[in-house]
Amino acid sequence: MSVTFLHPWYALLLVILPFVWFLGRRFSRIQRSLRCVLLASLIVASMQPVLIHQVAQQHTVVMLDQSDSLSDEAKAQAVVLLKQQLASIQDKANVDVLQLAGTPIAIDGLVVHYFPSAQSSLSQLVSQALSLVPVGSSGNLVLLSDGQATDPHWSRDLTLLKQRGIVLNWIRLSAKPQTPFIANAESDAVRIGSQPALHVSIEGIDNYHQSLSLQVFKADHLIAEKSLVAEQWRGHSSISTSLTLGAVSEEFTAVELRLTTADKQTQFASRQLWLAAQPAYSLLFVGNDPQAERQMQQLLGSGFQVVQAKLPLAADTDFAQYQAVMLDDIGSTALPELTQKRLLTAIENGLGLFYTGGEIAFSKGGMATQPLAQALPVKLQQQEQQREPGVSLAIVIDSSGSMQGRPLELAKQVARLAVRKLKPQDQVGIVEFYGTRQWAVPMQAALHPDDLERAIGRLQAQGGSELFPAIQEAYFGLKNSHNRYRHILLITDAAVEEENYQRLLRFIAQDQINVSTVLVGESTDGEQRMAEIANWGRGRFYAIHNEFNMVEINLHRPATEPQSILRRGDFQLLHTATQTPLPVHLQDYAKVQPQPAAQVIWQETHSGDPLVSSWRYGAGRVSAFMTDPLGSGTQGWQQWPEYGQWLGKQITSLTNMQQHLQLHSERQFNRLQIQLDVAADVRQPTLQWKSQSSESWHNLSLQQRSPTLYHADLDIKNSADVLLQASDGVHLQRAANGASSDIAPEQQVSQQWSMLLSQVVHLSGGVQLDGTLANLPTVSPTLMGLAGLSLYPGLLFAALLLYFVELIYRRWPRALVVSGTRV
């Protein structure tokens, strides 16, 4: 309880009270006191004091919904319930009635606030009801409605309900049966040249048992259509479907969705949708084939801008200007280590990477030990195996007369030991020279070593020593061999003619054929000569003087080679989430293992091998496709009409991680709220807007809420389309908000919006009842309201009373005292 004054400045007049007391000193003290109190009462009364005190108050607002979504019976029921509710309230001074749409009703003793449906909605109706509840009073709001809220703007109402402690109760009435309508429509990310998919949700089909047709028009031209069979939604209240639109060629495109009967005779509903097309995806293509850029551009279409990089990829490549990088079957030589590290940094900051290829990319290219391997969603470990490459051996034996006796026997023994070391997959041939040269054993597979040894045993010493033609003959026999290692083994006593062996042997060595020499016999005169021949032929020299220093010549070199990971055949891709196979098959792919945290998106149907695997890496995303998109593995895909679209989806799923600008807009009646999210490195973005009918763009000021968040408000009529575009000087983002996007027509309110009212009722502490007031709780005042009592009349009455008292006191006869006696 407190006192306040409406005119406090009159208190200055109280300063005259001491003068009144002083000037009236000839009067008695009682009379002077009465006059001062009288004057003070008049001055305080002029200040108009008001006594503020708390009283318990309860204000009830009943809201009557008479919109077209209610049936006539429901409207009549709502009026009956309204009168019952009013009859239960004794203090009609604290009651207000609001009516939404319908024919205005009249109630004795009350003013009914009327709102046409074209100017209000349920959320606005509740807002009006809240404004009628005096500040500081408890409130009880009762809504008689079917709950078909044509807008979703309940956040402000819910905040006020909770702050002020006001309860919202909902008496739910029955609504008219809905006919099929388009509850929601949205598209995939739209790019210039892309063919986006349109996802549509249709409701109001509970009691409809005929087929429907969903049509999409652009400027009254049919661009897409889909038939919906009644069996698809039997037992369901809604249905979702998708259809693909044609290539988008404009920055902003308005399309109209129409829902009709199957025969197109009756149109149930229509809905307008704006498509804001973003600039084409910028893709950096890194591959060995110079023609691949053109092929990839044709495959992906105008929704992508493919730029081919020069190899090796430079470390100063500006990855920021691209949304994704595609590495197509390249090895470590095309990506220097410094380039890989900078590419990894770009991926961590949001760049997308699409890694594709076969054995070069996943095995033989040496990427397993490179820095980039840590970002890939598959393991690049090389599966190594121990193997001995094939050997082709041409043994040149000197069978001239100088080899008679022990030298020839030693030569045969060396040749036999060399043949015994050969494998069945090796090749061997024997050339003898004795004045002429001939093949004692033509070049053949070493399948029968016994036959080879018998052929060696038949050699006899005869004729002269002409070595040069024999070496030439051996070279011609080995030249067409495909084995990895090719050798000429020359066995002689060095008693050969003089020739220009150096030139011949160096020529043979350049053809990857090695020449080794064996000197047999007691003579040591030819050692230097045979050593020079072996040196020129990039082989080895051996000197065997007797049986005791015999050597076994093993020409095999065990090697560790990567095991082939390429699988060839006919393979089908299966989507792991939907279990949907692709209609085309692969001819080959690289068999690899996914990383433990990676997501396998596509796999081989029978083996389960991953064919497309993906995962997050920092702020970016990396996917691996285990075959070459333009190679032999996808050769059969080139005639598949949807190949480009399929491949584009794999790439765009990576670019969604890198959003330099994200533009969102939301209408709330005649206000458009815009939010712009930017990347951390974006500085000073700009925002422009225009309406559909306007040709020029208008700048819109942005308010920075955080380092990466900006906000803007635009006051514009709800009936106007708004086109938006934001830019950071390099990147551009477009968005569109269609007219009345936040308001649904009557009887076309989606279930999602209808559920919002139930949540508001529950969170405010109210109850929801179906068509009855029987269990509606009585809300007791929970707040004390403030009331004011004016003290002005009381003070005036007190001043008048004091005047009469002072008058009586002044007029009252007084007794005289004479000589101490009262007379």
Side-chain angles (χ1 to χ4, degrees), residues 13-14 35 147 201 266 273 295 327 354 366 373 428 440 489 541 586 608 623 656 687 692 701 724 774 778 799:
L13 297 177
L14 293 174
R35 288 186 176 183
S201 175
T266 303
L273 179 67
Q295 299 176 18
L327 303 181
F354 196 50
V428 63
L489 182 60
F541 165 66
L586 280 178
S623 289
N656 290 335
L687 179 63
Q692 180 189 10
S701 61
L724 302 167
T778 301

Side-chain angles (χ1 to χ4, degrees), residues 86-100:
L86 295 177
S88 64
I89 301 174
Q90 297 180 354
D91 186 8
K92 297 296 190 296
N94 290 325
V95 176
D96 283 290
V97 178
L98 281 73
Q99 179 182 347
L100 175 64

Side-chain angles (χ1 to χ4, degrees), residues 189 191 278 281 323 349-351 619 652-664 677-682 708 728 731-733:
R191 296 273 171 178
Q278 311 305 330
Y281 287 109
Q323 292 168 300
N349 293 333
L351 181 70
T652 55
S653 66
L654 309 173
T655 61
N656 290 335
M657 305 302 299
Q658 183 194 32
Q659 294 288 340
H660 293 276
L661 302 171
Q662 297 183 55
L663 192 57
H664 309 279
D677 296 301
V678 302
D681 56 347
V682 172
T708 60
D728 62 353
H731 306 93
L732 184 69
Q733 181 76 8

